[in-house]
Amino acid sequence: MAMYGADALEVLKELSTATRLPVYRAKSVSKAVDEVIHLHAEVLAILRERPEAARNDASVTASVIFHHAALLRNKRIMLAYHYHRMQYLQNLRWEVGAILPPDVREATSALETGFFSAYDRLLGDYMTEVDLNLTEDLTPPKDLFIEVRVVQDAGTIITEAGDELTLTRNSTHYLRRSDVEHLIRQGVVEHIVH
Amino acid sequence: MAYYDIDAILLDDQIVPAHFNTAAMDLGVLDPSTPSPHIDQGTETDIPLWLALSLAKRSIVTLRSPSFFGESFQAHLLADAQVLNIHDKCPFFYELGVKLAKLTGNWALPAVLKKAFHTRYLRIVDTSINLGAADYSEHIRKLTTAERNLFHLGHAAAAEVLRYKTRDTDRLAASAVVTRKRRRAALGKK
C-alpha cells in the first residue's frame, strides 16, 4: 500500500517545478480529501472503542498518532497546493490584467476561475473607490511618453486624451505611457528604447 | 510562511531510520519487510520525518542518524566539503541534520554542518555571480536544495546588475506568462 499523502505530494511537486501553471488535479485532490475523511474516522473509531487503551497502551497510542499525523500532513499539502495556485492567479491579475490567458484558464478549476474574478472585482472596486489604477506603473516611470511598435493587430483603442488610435502590426507610435503600459505587459505592443 | 512552504513540506518527507521501543498497532505499512498490519517491539525501519517527530515525542520510537550523518561522512565533510555531492545524500541535508541533532542530542553534528556549509558557501556565491550566461547545470548538481536556491538568487542578482548597467531596466517588457506562450506557439509552427 502506498503511503498516505503520496498522491497529494506528487501534485505539489509538479506545481513547484512547473514553469507555468499545471492543470488542476481534481482527482488527486478528492483522493486526498477521501484519505483525510478515512483517517479521521480511524482516529475516532479507536478513541470511541478503546478510550483507555488509547491513553495507556503505547501500541494503540502509536496508531492514533500515526493516523492523526497523516491527516494533518495531507491537510497541509493540500492547503499549500491551493495556496500557491491562488498566489499565482493573484499575481496574474497584476501582470496581465482582468482577463486570464487562455492556457491558464484551461489549467484552472471552476472554483479557481471564480476566485480570480472575485479577486478582480475586489481590486477593481478598491481602485474605483480610491480613484487610482494601482496596476499602472509597476516600475517607476522615467518618461511620460514612450515609443512603441505594434506586434499584433489589436484593433482600435481610445487614449486618455480621447483620441482614437488603430493599432496595426509593425506601426510605431509615440504615446502616453499610461495608455499602453498594459498592452506592453500583454505583449500586444513592444517598447522601443534607443 | 513556513506552513505553506513547499521545501519545508518536502523536508518533512525525508526518511529517517527509527527503532520501535514498543509495538505499534496499524503501523505495519511502514515496514515493507513484514506482512503483518502491525509493527513489533524492537523493529528497525525507515519512517518519514513528519511521523518520526510525533512518535519520538512520546518515546514510541528512538530515531537513529542516517548513514550520511555518520562519522565517516563527517570526516569527508571536514576534509573537503566542496567536492562532495551532498544532494545525492539528501536534498535537505543541513535542515535534516539540524532537526535530527535536536532530537538525538548529537550536538557535534550542527558544528560540522556549519563548517561544511561555510566552505561551500564561498564557492557557491562566487560562481553564481560570476558565471554570467554560461550553463550552470554542472555547478548546481552537487548542491542541496537550499544551496541551489542561494545559487539562483546570486545568479538572478548578477543578471539584474548587468541589466542596470546596460540601462535595460528602462525598457518595459511583456509579462513572462505572455512571452512563454509566444515561444511555444513559434515552436509549434515549425
Side-chain angles (χ1 to χ4, degrees), chain A residues 3 9 19-20 50 59 63 65-66 70 73 76 80 83-84 92 95 103 142 184-187 191 193, chain B residues 1-4 9 12-13 23 25-27 50-51 58 170-172 174-175 177-178 180 182 184:
Chain A
M3 195 59 195
L9 194 66
T19 48
R20 63 186 181 115
R50 311 166 66 179
S59 143
S63 173
I65 293 177
F66 171 55
R73 172 133 183 102
R76 183 179 179 191
Y83 173 81
H84 285 286
L92 218 54
E95 287 263 325
D103 59 326
K142 279 204 167 163
I184 295 177
R185 252 183 276 130
Q186 288 167 11
H191 184 192
V193 186
Chain B
M1 260 184 286
Y3 185 79
Y4 295 113
I9 292 176
D12 271 359
D13 207 48
M25 196 176 81
D26 298 335
L27 264 67
W50 55 263
L51 182 60
R58 314 269 169 125
D170 295 353
R171 209 175 92 87
L172 296 171
S175 156
V177 185
V178 179
R180 265 202 306 275
R182 191 170 299 149
R184 272 205 313 282

Side-chain angles (χ1 to χ4, degrees), chain B residues 68 95 103 143 166:
Chain B
F68 48 81
E95 296 90 334
L103 285 167
L143 306 184
T166 54

Side-chain angles (χ1 to χ4, degrees), chain B residues 25 37 51 57 61-62 65-66 72 76 78 82-84 93 106-107 110 113-114 132-133 149 151 171 177:
Chain B
M25 196 176 81
L51 182 60
K57 225 182 272 169
V61 297
T62 307
S65 274
S72 121
H76 288 169
L78 290 173
Q82 283 195 11
V83 297
L84 294 174
F93 188 76
N106 181 357
W107 298 115
L113 294 181
K114 187 178 162 197
N149 291 341
F151 181 93
R171 209 175 92 87
V177 185

Side-chain angles (χ1 to χ4, degrees), chain A residues 7 9 55 61 83 86 90 93 96 102 112 114 124-125 127 137 139-140 163 173 176 178:
Chain A
D7 228 38
L9 194 66
R55 200 163 298 126
T61 315
Y83 173 81
M86 275 161 60
Q90 275 187 30
R93 173 62 189 82
V96 292
E112 283 174 327
D125 285 352
M127 291 196 301
D137 294 332
T139 50
D163 302 324
H173 306 272
R176 200 173 258 279
S178 52

